[in-house]
Amino acid sequence: MNNIRGRFKKAAAQSVQTYTASVQYDWMLYPYDIAGSVAHARMLGKQGIIKPAEAKKIINALQQIQKEIASGKFVFNPELEDIHMNVEARLVEKIGDVGKKLHTARSRNDQVAVDVRLFVRDAITHTIVGIRYLQQALVQVATANKDVILPGYTHVQRAQPVLLAHHFLAYFEMLERDIARFEDAFARADVMPLGSGALAGVAYNIDRESVAKELGFSTVSKNSMDAVSDRDFILEFEAAASIFMMHISRLSEELVYWSSAEFDFIELDDAYATGSSIMPQKKNPDVAELARGKTGRVYGNLMALLTTMKGLPLAYNRDMQEDKEQLFDTVQTVFGTLDVFPGMLLTMKIKADKMKKAAGGGYLLATDIADYLVKNGESFRSAHEITGKLVNFAVKNGVGLDGLTLTAYKHFSPRFKRDVMNISVESSIAARDNIGGTTKKQVAKQLAAAAAKIKKALTES
Amino acid sequence: MNNIRGRFKKAAAQSVQTYTASVQYDWMLYPYDIAGSVAHARMLGKQGIIKPAEAKKIINALQQIQKEIASGKFVFNPELEDIHMNVEARLVEKIGDVGKKLHTARSRNDQVAVDVRLFVRDAITHTIVGIRYLQQALVQVATANKDVILPGYTHVQRAQPVLLAHHFLAYFEMLERDIARFEDAFARADVMPLGSGALAGVAYNIDRESVAKELGFSTVSKNSMDAVSDRDFILEFEAAASIFMMHISRLSEELVYWSSAEFDFIELDDAYATGSSIMPQKKNPDVAELARGKTGRVYGNLMALLTTMKGLPLAYNRDMQEDKEQLFDTVQTVFGTLDVFPGMLLTMKIKADKMKKAAGGGYLLATDIADYLVKNGESFRSAHEITGKLVNFAVKNGVGLDGLTLTAYKHFSPRFKRDVMNISVESSIAARDNIGGTTKKQVAKQLAAAAAKIKKALTES
Amino acid sequence: MNNIRGRFKKAAAQSVQTYTASVQYDWMLYPYDIAGSVAHARMLGKQGIIKPAEAKKIINALQQIQKEIASGKFVFNPELEDIHMNVEARLVEKIGDVGKKLHTARSRNDQVAVDVRLFVRDAITHTIVGIRYLQQALVQVATANKDVILPGYTHVQRAQPVLLAHHFLAYFEMLERDIARFEDAFARADVMPLGSGALAGVAYNIDRESVAKELGFSTVSKNSMDAVSDRDFILEFEAAASIFMMHISRLSEELVYWSSAEFDFIELDDAYATGSSIMPQKKNPDVAELARGKTGRVYGNLMALLTTMKGLPLAYNRDMQEDKEQLFDTVQTVFGTLDVFPGMLLTMKIKADKMKKAAGGGYLLATDIADYLVKNGESFRSAHEITGKLVNFAVKNGVGLDGLTLTAYKHFSPRFKRDVMNISVESSIAARDNIGGTTKKQVAKQLAAAAAKIKKALTES
Amino acid sequence: MNNIRGRFKKAAAQSVQTYTASVQYDWMLYPYDIAGSVAHARMLGKQGIIKPAEAKKIINALQQIQKEIASGKFVFNPELEDIHMNVEARLVEKIGDVGKKLHTARSRNDQVAVDVRLFVRDAITHTIVGIRYLQQALVQVATANKDVILPGYTHVQRAQPVLLAHHFLAYFEMLERDIARFEDAFARADVMPLGSGALAGVAYNIDRESVAKELGFSTVSKNSMDAVSDRDFILEFEAAASIFMMHISRLSEELVYWSSAEFDFIELDDAYATGSSIMPQKKNPDVAELARGKTGRVYGNLMALLTTMKGLPLAYNRDMQEDKEQLFDTVQTVFGTLDVFPGMLLTMKIKADKMKKAAGGGYLLATDIADYLVKNGESFRSAHEITGKLVNFAVKNGVGLDGLTLTAYKHFSPRFKRDVMNISVESSIAARDNIGGTTKKQVAKQLAAAAAKIKKALTES
């Protein structure tokens, strides 16, 4: 970093270099850094701030440097601290003093801001596509098992029978909101900060909008002090990613328990399970467990940056360098999770018979019995109370509701008639025929809408 | 809770009642609970699920109960656990068995979901208006001090002169993004869950869309299992609130330091400062400190719900009851902060002379000198290096850059001519004439746009 | 929106008072505040800083005020901001100008520090006793069911048979570490800060050690600036509470799943379960769910204070007022949890037959078979591989390991002899006879040690 | 991982391998993994579980492997998933089938537990030594500047004069508590888990205590199910590290502001400051800013593991693999911070004249004036009020308290005599002569005690 230490008499202490260097992780930004520099150089040339021929020379060299990095030939120097200085130093090495003109009308503060914004935009785009594929896997499994019935649970207690497709569509909806949140985050990341300089703008006749256009940004930032110290777009990405991982953790919890001997609802494919170093019989749902566990790191990354940003005065402070590693970690975690989940879902074996068996018998139709009474004139609260007593009686006699005779029913209310015996898992499901309800018709409608939405999105993207 | 303990032989243990009761805080939901019940009852009547006359009776009684609660006459009973059961018990007390019909085709799971969604929608609407007033205060102070110059800082080091209005507009931009985030959160809260029942939909011929319309929701939920266990809209509100409080903490940090003897840039009005119990001379910026401190609780509330939701299987689990207290606390903190900040800003004394003095002298114009060299043919990196040496020379001689003679300048580069002596705080500011830059023209444009935006928003709301 | 526009225009002072007042929650500190003031006054009298008669008058009045508050007669005035000023104002009201002498040689900064330290010491003491009772319940249940066998799980897969008592003793160990952590936190809370004044010490001939002695503190603080701005002892309490609640969340998760129809290992007593508003058959483990959910708030409270304290310069800053509400909330949550858990554990029905059945059959003895091979000369890794193939064969044939014939065994390795057929759930358990292992002997030893430890602790406390 | 996939028909999917592999970070555990294996093998040999000659062969090969890794020659294979399997595979490669016996009477669950405990013990030991050096730096700077006076601040308002040494000793005290917390965490990490097997203990005649002795552990774990799923010791380390970093963030905040033109109390050495890419005059306190910023990541890491552990049933779950990366990151952050801080403190220039000037003049002696009145018979509250009026009068007249005449004083109270004019910065400091107060005598005593404590600790360690 000799070139920016004009004022300093001594080199930084070695431990300081280690502490402050970022190139060991921010090298990942190189395609964005170079794209930003290319657009900046082109604009400088067009505006006559540097000569057009100089701009061309810089751009060509930058494109060569990009290839050098992509091919693994580039040697990063930690003494040059970050990706920006590494690239610039190589530029000067390649084309001499002309390279020293690239940083005209720019500061590292607006340069890093544009790099990270480009990175986040890309991360969001990929995340959304990945979520669409995960939704697609859910819809495929749901469609392939559209008649499968399992118990719906509340409090991990069997509550009412539902279609498995309905159950999976609940996750479709969660992911739908995740996509919407990522799209909203995109809009706020999609703002071009170059031209903000160190903090006050730059003293050159630049054309910010042409740079924005070349880089595909929808708009330019409106306040230079804000632009160089704004990390909202990272926080917002991390918040959206936290909620997404929360959803994944819920699905994972179910996959873990459904794989247990106790539930025995699914069997994960061998490719998505692992063994034990000591217990040969084990087939563990490690992917789901890890995903559930990784929720923690994504939450932690959000909390880290929220903490870092708390109480920082305007404008740029070095604390903000801490925005990147956790961001990269969150992106990697989200991508990795989206890489494994569709395959895991598509290859798992659904044990429809076990699910069906769990949904039958027992007391899952109690609500239907209460509803029966209501439809035959009882008020809901009284119907609820009567059914409670009925359940109690059945429990005491060691039978499910389907083990009670009509006489027994009548003992609890004269409103019970023969047709109460027709209440079944199937009738229970068929009864819930409202938008968002669990009937085959409603579920088919939602499945079709989901499939159409996914198809449209994946075709367009 | 006798009425829903049909199955149970014993009353809940006293400690259990204390542990599980929520009415001590969820009573705050009463206007939303009653609005939801009124819409539900009206729909039940219209659909013939209960008789229209019954619906009317229920609605009248609910409206009376609302007045009882609003006037403080209602006695909440913790044994009835939550706001829903308290209201329903009173309903039955007032109108007898007809009241027991209200809960037909409904569950506490979808009932609480609609209550909290109504609450969050209101909270967002009020938050946005409050932020508009805070923006208005910033714009007013900026406009009233539009020619005031102060040092722009990076790393808490004086960097380049900026307009105070430019500085405050940076906060305007942050708040603008906050509003956009809250609006996006509103859209996802604005979904009507009633009709989802306990988890699977309800077995009655309900009309969900009419209920949505009466309650002002844009749409109805598409999956009942998701609808009763979705808390995304709370998390999203809390994430937006966390980022908002982070912005507030940054502004607060500045107000605290600017009030110090060392900066001495502002003096807070007595109404917004407090004294010391032991040091009579102290005038402390307590409001700004508390706001900065309260950032912690808002972050903590977000973290709390993210943790609570992690790993919960479908559908409703009692853990989710923990969504409300922290939400209420965040709302109260945001409202309280928005209550005090505009007044604090509008009444503070700006010490323009102190700011101006800090912006002059010293080395804040070094960038302008480097830019001067660039415009006279030097490459940026060389110009930067030369200026670094110049600053070093000035420091050694105990003068600012304005204390150097032209001869001294020329000693460092032959490119320096007489006109380098014209570089001033004013010329520095005037030079940064790009969108988002700190010139008077650019700032005036942004101020005008900001004022127009606020006026439009406050007129419409 | 008019109603909130009006609010934002309200007089400044009122909103500031609302924002900054703390008496609505810090009134809870009154017994500590008064104890601290009594000790301070007595010392002032002894040292001749005020007259002994004055000290006596003050002390008497303070003791009366304590009774007024305890009996609910005291009227708190929010304009007096906090508990300290409320008490002092009442003191002056009662005894006139003498009351104005109490605050001699003291500041609110060291006063609040001593109050909160006294509170935290008490909270820790009560927490530890509560945990002892929870341990006692675990040991009682374990002892009463000392021969009960259930599957030990890893990855929620049945792994190896264990004693239920062994399973519960795992929680005993976690709680043992919790106690140790709380004890360590106590030691750091047990430091007397009075005499630190506002930040620099006080200009009077005080006797700090006598005050410490009267208040039961082990030592006095060594640096006044640290003493008034140290909140470590709260953070440490909250960190210990977070780890404790994590343990509770693990136990809760098990209670929730064990109560499910799928596991069916336990039945919670009616007094510790709740019903459903719509599904009469449900018996929900709400207490365990709520405890698991409340883990979030305790984590959030820790995060809140860590955030608040980040980056605060010396010495006291008003941000620190935010230390109390979350502390109180954490204490209340921990106490409430400790109130309900012992009863819930002691009253639950253990379904030993279901547990035993789950432990038998299947493949839980695979490790024992691998160990059999090792003891008969196979290397562990090869034994592991052979057993894996054996399990695979059994799975394919739809039997458990107990369904294989000796011939089948021999097919996989010649090392299998007749005695392999003796491997059983009981032999598996009996084999793990190391310290901390699951044999009856080892478990009995640990149970006895646990019981003795609890008895000693509860006798002494 | 072929060797533990006996049961599986397919290899894990590539994305699964990427998702579940940990060797890219857990290779760092190799010295601990090998030490654990050496102790385990020696014990197996001694107990006759394997032959002594086999044990010797294994131990020799392990020691060679350690050298291979240390010298960078070892090739890690991600397909072998983690450090344990990489080492074991190499062992078998080197010594054939004998190597397959190492894992006898052991599981990865207890193996990883012992590795991480050894790692944490080492991390704590190094952290404590590092903190001692930081304390030493504080004491050296304090001692070298023992007569320097600066304003003590509350609310970032000048409050009372204090000695700079007193100010730095506040940080000494914080660090003293940090050390105590790390020591307490050490005690709970210092427990040997090997012998717990997968979860239930092992079916061999092992000698756990000899293994503990060889590895330097104080004790062995008491419950196998707890031992394999206990991550408290990591959480506790991370909680202690979070509080430590909070202290560092406070010190950093002060270094940042003290380096500003406004405070101008210190100048950091060039080796500990960095320049600007665009503003040649800047000398930024980047190390302090980064340390303050890195507080976020350490908090985030704590929150990550707390989240991961929430709600996990017994015993081991794969989620727990997520314990390591954040732990390593926290350790690296703490070490890096301890590497740079002592040098930064020892080389910074203290501007004693600027500090002294800030402490004089103004109103910092107001408390002393109030105390003067108290000592001359006024009650404290009245003295406080009178002094408040006096300050107000001085402010209005544009002078400090030292600018008031005796007549002016007497105007506010007849108790003022000529000797009030003797109140000075020096007399103020001299007056606070209690334990922990800011007088030269008290501070010298604390400095001496601190120096002795550090010397003892660094001699012993």
Side-chain angles (χ1 to χ4, degrees), chain B residues 151 153-160 253 256-257 259-263 265 276-286 289 292 303 307-312 319 358 363-367 370 380-381 383-384 387-388 391, chain D residues 151 153-160 253 256-257 259-263 265 276-286 289 292 303 307-312 319 358 363-367 370 380-381 383-384 387-388 391:
Chain B
Y153 294 81
T154 61
H155 311 259
V156 194
Q157 298 288 312
R158 293 173 185 171
Q160 296 172 357
E253 172 94 354
V256 167
Y257 278 95
S259 298
S260 71
E262 286 71 18
F263 279 79
F265 282 179
S276 155
S277 76
I278 195 169
M279 295 166 293
Q281 86 279 13
K282 295 289 293 302
K283 187 171 173 181
N284 298 325
D286 291 64
E289 291 170 88
R292 188 177 57 184
M303 192 62 212
T307 301
T308 295
M309 292 301 295
K310 181 230 160 190
L312 292 188
D319 316 54
Y363 312 97
L364 282 92
L365 303 178
T367 314
F380 176 75
R381 281 292 171 213
H384 187 277
T387 316
V391 168
Chain D
Y153 294 81
T154 59
H155 311 259
V156 194
Q157 298 289 311
R158 294 173 184 169
Q160 294 172 358
E253 172 93 354
V256 167
Y257 278 96
S259 298
S260 71
E262 286 70 20
F263 279 81
F265 282 180
S276 154
S277 75
I278 196 170
M279 296 166 292
Q281 86 281 11
K282 295 288 295 301
K283 188 171 173 182
N284 298 325
D286 291 63
E289 290 170 89
R292 188 177 57 184
M303 215 43 59
T307 302
T308 295
M309 293 300 295
K310 179 231 160 189
L312 293 187
D319 316 53
Y363 311 97
L364 283 91
L365 303 178
T367 316
F380 176 75
R381 282 289 170 216
H384 188 278
T387 316
V391 168

Side-chain angles (χ1 to χ4, degrees), chain B residues 286-341:
Chain B
D286 291 64
V287 168
E289 291 170 88
L290 268 174
R292 188 177 57 184
K294 282 174 189 292
T295 308
R297 79 195 298 154
V298 174
Y299 288 8
N301 291 340
L302 168 61
M303 192 62 212
L305 187 55
L306 279 171
T307 301
T308 295
M309 292 301 295
K310 181 230 160 190
L312 292 188
L314 289 180
Y316 182 81
N317 300 278
R318 188 68 179 265
D319 316 54
M320 291 170 182
Q321 176 175 310
E322 287 290 310
D323 59 350
K324 276 177 280 301
E325 263 184 297
Q326 277 81 11
L327 167 63
F328 297 166
D329 185 71
T330 289
V331 168
Q332 191 183 11
T333 304
V334 168
F335 283 9
T337 304
L338 288 169
D339 268 354
V340 289
F341 263 65

Side-chain angles (χ1 to χ4, degrees), chain A residues 266-327:
Chain A
I266 57 169
E267 185 180 343
L268 293 178
D269 191 77
D270 285 2
Y272 291 90
T274 60
S276 153
S277 76
I278 196 169
M279 295 166 294
Q281 86 281 10
K282 297 288 294 302
K283 188 169 171 183
N284 298 324
D286 292 62
V287 168
E289 292 171 87
L290 269 174
R292 188 178 55 186
K294 283 175 187 292
T295 308
R297 78 194 299 154
V298 174
Y299 288 8
N301 291 340
L302 168 61
M303 215 41 61
L305 187 55
L306 280 171
T307 301
T308 296
M309 292 300 295
K310 179 230 159 189
L312 293 187
L314 289 180
Y316 182 80
N317 300 278
R318 187 67 178 265
D319 316 54
M320 292 171 182
Q321 177 175 309
E322 287 290 308
D323 59 352
K324 277 177 280 301
E325 265 185 294
Q326 277 82 9
L327 167 64

Side-chain angles (χ1 to χ4, degrees), chain C residues 268-385:
Chain C
L268 294 178
D269 191 77
D270 285 2
Y272 291 90
T274 59
S276 155
S277 75
I278 195 169
M279 296 166 293
Q281 85 280 11
K282 296 289 295 302
K283 188 170 172 182
N284 298 324
D286 292 63
V287 167
E289 291 170 88
L290 268 174
R292 188 177 56 185
K294 284 176 188 291
T295 308
R297 78 195 299 153
V298 174
Y299 288 8
N301 291 340
L302 168 61
M303 193 61 212
L305 187 55
L306 279 171
T307 302
T308 296
M309 291 301 294
K310 179 229 159 192
L312 292 187
L314 289 180
Y316 181 81
N317 299 278
R318 188 67 179 265
D319 316 54
M320 292 171 182
Q321 177 176 310
E322 287 290 308
D323 60 351
K324 277 177 280 303
E325 263 185 295
Q326 277 82 9
L327 167 64
F328 296 167
D329 185 72
T330 289
V331 168
Q332 192 184 9
T333 304
V334 168
F335 283 10
T337 303
L338 288 168
D339 269 353
V340 289
F341 262 65
M344 179 166 60
L345 294 173
L346 290 168
T347 57
M348 74 183 172
K349 189 177 145 196
I350 304 282
K351 301 184 176 178
D353 51 336
K354 299 282 175 63
M355 290 180 175
K356 180 70 182 292
K357 202 180 152 202
Y363 312 97
L364 284 90
L365 303 177
T367 315
D368 296 272
I369 286 164
D371 286 335
Y372 174 95
L373 288 172
V374 168
K375 285 171 183 171
N376 286 283
E378 198 63 71
S379 74
F380 176 76
R381 281 291 171 213
S382 306
H384 186 277
E385 206 179 333

Side-chain angles (χ1 to χ4, degrees), chain C residues 212-268:
Chain C
K213 203 173 167 191
E214 173 164 350
L215 295 171
F217 281 102
S218 298
T219 184
V220 300
S221 58
K222 300 290 182 291
N223 182 288
S224 58
M225 297 183 80
D226 174 50
V228 292
S229 69
D230 171 24
R231 295 299 183 269
D232 287 12
F233 63 101
I234 305 180
L235 285 169
E236 196 170 344
F237 175 82
E238 290 183 347
S242 293
I243 298 176
F244 164 73
M245 284 302 291
M246 181 269 283
H247 295 152
I248 290 290
S249 78
R250 301 186 67 182
L251 177 55
S252 296
E253 173 93 353
E254 298 200 322
L255 296 176
V256 167
Y257 278 96
W258 289 8
S259 297
S260 71
E262 287 71 19
F263 278 81
D264 199 23
F265 283 179
I266 56 170
E267 185 179 343
L268 294 178

